Amino acid sequence: MSAARAALRHLPFALLLLVGLCPVLLYLWHQQDPESAVRLAHGIHRLLQQTLLATGLVLLGLLLLFPPARAGLRLCFAHLHRQFTTDRGPLLQALGELRHFASPQRHFEVGRLALAAGDLPLAAQHLDAAAAQTPDVAAVHYQYGRLLLRLGQPAAARGAFATAERLDPGHAFGDALLQHGRALWLLGQESAATAVFLSHRQRHGGSAQSLYWLGQALRRTGDAAAAHDAFAAAATAPGPRTAEADWYRAWARLQLHRPRATPPRSTP
Amino acid sequence: MNDGLRRLDELPVTLLVALAYLLCALWTDPFAPDPQALERAGWLTPLAAASGEGWRLFSYAFLHGGIVHLLFNLAMFAQIAPPLERSLGSLRFALLYAVAALGGGIAACLLYDVRQPVVGGSGALFGMLGALVAMNMRSGRHLLSFLDFAGPRRLLGTIAANLVIGFLLPFVSNTAHIGGLLAGFLLTFYWLWPGRAEPRTVWRGRLATVVLLGGLSFGSLCPVWRWDWLWLQSERASGPRQEALQRAAAMAYFGVRTADAGLVARFAERELEEVPQPPQRRR
């Protein structure tokens, strides 16, 4: 998933490069065979037209017929909005302060803000330093675990979340425990994940996200009836109508009606 | 910056461009512009650019199709250019003007009929508006923080209003407007205002911008998919290469299934004659 995300991040630049290189490559082709270059150019033009038309039609059909598509579109817009409106001022200030006087607290601050801004290499550099210098602070391990999950390293993330939960039970309003379960599920340890999700539900109540993940884990363990109940609870889970919560509600509704639908591995 | 560059950076580019507008207008008679004079002075047609006159991708941005066109563009230029030149520096401002004009020219070359002429500096003016948007985006705490302020919001309103007017009025080339706007925005966003952006993103963006502008410029000068360019190339070639180019021209004109070079030859004789057309102006 992290590879897909990285590819998605590079996609606009790759497209610009491709569009820029296309006339040059066509010219080189034209030097060899002018007729096939014209044929190729016409083919590219036709392919572009048909792809755009087909994409539009598929998107329209999905939006009308497939509830998670609407929720996914909203989630994409929310993600884009967050990318465009994440305040980089505090991060730059923290980086400036770190240059004058390095401390574990400042490394953590830079790592946390870089993670929020989506600058994963910078976040990794500083959270790594913070985790090495302050192994007994739950917040550091929690943020480090979030980073590792985004980098596609669930095994390391599981350890970080377990440490955070051990140092401060219920850390981040139970999110450390929930993400611990998520990391276990990504590692294929469904029974352990189910136990963690159930413990999370018992201690912190259920959100659309946690109940949906609980349903997934229960289904994998073979308890279809309990999974159905969890999905039903997720579909009607109270709480704010955020884009992310609605995404999980929509998938949970789908799981109720179409038990074999492919579950989302993560949020887009 | 060495002494030579520093001296160049003190050139009053805004004043020089305004003077160029006026001199070119005097040359082509602003009260009754003569199409032939405009063509000699450097109006842009996709055919002329593809025939080896690449300089027209820049020269058209200093010509205007009448006194109203000239005054409108000059007024807008006088409003936008001086503060932008003070902010960016003269050299960067000159580069911005050239690249925005190039962006407008490329858009016209790639999307217009081969004999459709274009004159006017508004592609470059739109490039400056794009540059102002990019500077506003870069100078805030995040990319959209400029929307909190009335001035930058008015800037977006100005761009939108001008584009709407361009779509409504005939003889206004919104294609070149949008090309210039995008070129000015990309150039400023990735090249002229590195500011607080992440270095890797900036370098990726710079590379992509250079390749995009370079590739599209190349495509405007050597459009291997267009019948007129292929036909002109065939006139310079001989033997089997000439026949292949003629067949390719026929395919480009009639579609890939038909390749009747004789039909294209008759069409080319008629179409590629020197028939001046009224210029498509840009406000």
Side-chain angles (χ1 to χ4, degrees):
Chain A
M1 188 52 69
S2 66
R5 275 190 184 151
L8 209 63
R9 205 173 298 128
H10 292 115
L11 189 67
F13 296 111
L15 279 178
L16 287 181
L17 283 175
L18 190 68
V19 172
L21 286 175
C22 225
V24 182
L25 295 175
L26 274 174
Y27 181 78
L28 293 176
W29 192 289
H30 160 87
Q31 292 298 326
Q32 302 298 319
D33 184 358
E35 288 169 75
S36 63
V38 170
R39 204 173 287 125
L40 182 65
H42 278 239
I44 292 172
H45 185 238
R46 210 170 36 247
L47 184 73
L48 269 178
Q49 271 183 331
Q50 289 174 353
T51 309
L52 281 176
L53 186 67
T55 310
L57 287 174
V58 167
L59 198 64
L60 191 67
L62 280 174
L63 286 176
L64 289 173
L65 303 172
F66 191 59
R70 284 196 295 274
L73 195 66
R74 196 178 154 214
L75 194 61
C76 282
F77 278 125
H79 182 65
L80 204 63
H81 186 259
R82 199 162 48 237
Q83 267 196 336
F84 270 68
T85 54
T86 301
D87 192 344
R88 287 187 64 82
L91 173 61
L92 294 164
Q93 191 180 349
L95 271 171
E97 286 172 1
L98 185 70
R99 265 186 221 111
H100 290 292
F101 182 70
S103 70
Q105 174 60 29
R106 286 189 171 131
H107 277 298
F108 170 65
E109 199 60 15
V110 169
R112 186 181 67 81
L113 292 166
L115 182 61
D119 191 343
L120 301 189
L122 184 69
Q125 183 191 338
H126 291 282
L127 284 177
D128 220 14
Q133 291 173 32
T134 51
D136 52 351
V137 178
V140 174
H141 292 282
Y142 170 65
Q143 295 292 343
Y144 198 36
R146 288 182 61 212
L147 169 74
L148 291 166
L149 263 192
R150 286 185 68 175
L151 289 172
Q153 300 172 23
R158 189 200 63 77
F161 288 127
T163 311
E165 186 60 22
R166 180 174 51 76
L167 291 169
D168 176 21
H171 183 73
F173 303 100
D175 199 49
L177 186 63
L178 182 63
Q179 297 298 338
H180 182 206
R182 177 69 175 158
L184 285 168
W185 192 79
L186 288 174
L187 287 168
Q189 300 173 18
E190 284 88 9
S191 304
T194 307
V196 172
F197 287 138
L198 284 170
S199 157
H200 177 269
R201 187 181 188 180
Q202 198 176 12
R203 286 162 58 190
H204 303 285
S207 64
Q209 185 184 28
S210 69
L211 290 167
Y212 177 79
W213 285 346
L214 174 63
Q216 287 291 347
L218 284 167
R219 175 173 290 166
R220 286 276 181 89
T221 54
D223 194 346
H228 187 273
D229 289 348
F231 285 133
T236 55
R241 309 288 302 180
T242 60
E244 198 164 31
D246 275 353
W247 167 250
Y248 286 103
R249 284 189 189 104
W251 273 104
R253 276 202 300 279
L254 195 75
Q255 299 294 330
L256 287 176
H257 297 294
R258 296 171 55 193
R260 287 184 188 176
T262 311
R265 297 293 295 180
S266 178
T267 54
Chain B
M1 196 184 276
N2 63 34
D3 279 351
L5 277 178
R6 194 170 291 125
R7 274 188 206 136
L8 273 178
D9 208 28
E10 287 165 6
L11 279 175
V13 175
T14 302
L15 192 64
L16 291 176
V17 172
L19 275 175
Y21 279 10
L22 291 171
L23 287 174
C24 286
L26 287 175
W27 183 17
T28 55
D29 187 359
F31 295 101
D34 176 16
Q36 284 176 340
L38 281 171
E39 187 181 8
R40 275 196 307 276
W43 78 11
L44 172 69
T45 64
L47 179 62
S51 310
E53 296 175 351
W55 51 273
R56 288 179 188 270
L57 286 170
F58 298 99
S59 61
Y60 81 99
F62 297 94
L63 300 169
H64 290 88
I67 188 71
V68 177
H69 189 199
L70 172 70
L71 289 179
F72 197 94
N73 272 1
L74 209 52
M76 200 152 169
F77 185 72
Q79 200 179 355
I80 302 170
L84 200 56
E85 188 181 353
R86 278 198 296 275
S87 301
L88 291 174
S90 296
L91 271 181
R92 287 175 163 199
F93 177 73
L95 179 70
L96 170 68
Y97 191 90
V99 170
L102 179 69
I106 289 170
C109 280
L110 294 180
L111 298 171
Y112 275 170
D113 182 75
V114 295
R115 293 206 48 86
Q116 176 65 59
V118 179
V119 291
S122 55
L125 286 174
F126 265 81
M128 288 179 211
L129 292 174
L132 284 174
V133 173
M135 285 166 71
N136 275 300
M137 286 178 82
R138 281 280 189 231
S139 56
R141 289 173 74 98
H142 55 75
L143 289 179
L144 296 185
S145 63
F146 74 100
L147 293 175
D148 295 340
F149 302 95
R153 277 205 302 267
R154 269 203 296 276
L155 172 67
L156 291 185
T158 305
I159 292 172
N162 276 288
L163 287 176
V164 169
I165 291 169
F167 278 116
L168 294 178
L169 290 181
F171 300 113
V172 174
S173 166
N174 248 356
T175 307
H177 287 171
I178 293 170
L181 183 74
L182 289 177
F185 176 82
L186 283 175
L187 181 81
T188 313
F189 198 80
Y190 287 119
W191 274 95
L192 303 183
W193 204 263
R196 302 184 217 164
E198 293 167 43
R200 270 175 297 113
T201 312
V202 169
W203 276 107
R204 276 202 305 252
R206 284 178 176 181
L207 179 70
T209 311
V210 169
V211 173
L212 184 72
L213 277 175
L216 292 182
S217 306
F218 186 82
S220 306
L221 300 175
C222 303
V224 300
W225 56 87
R226 238 171 47 201
W227 71 271
D228 56 304
W229 185 80
L230 289 163
W231 191 261
L232 290 171
Q233 293 295 309
S234 78
E235 286 180 346
R236 291 174 200 156
S238 60
R241 177 79 181 164
Q242 185 179 37
E243 285 172 20
L245 284 166
Q246 285 179 350
R247 278 198 305 277
M251 282 169 67
Y253 187 74
F254 291 108
V256 290
R257 286 190 198 86
T258 317
D260 189 340
L263 276 173
V264 176
R266 285 199 291 281
F267 183 77
E269 276 171 19
R270 195 180 72 239
E271 191 68 14
L272 296 182
E273 283 173 2
E274 290 300 313
V275 186
Q277 294 181 4
Q280 174 146 12
R281 288 183 302 165
R282 296 200 265 121
R283 280 184 313 97

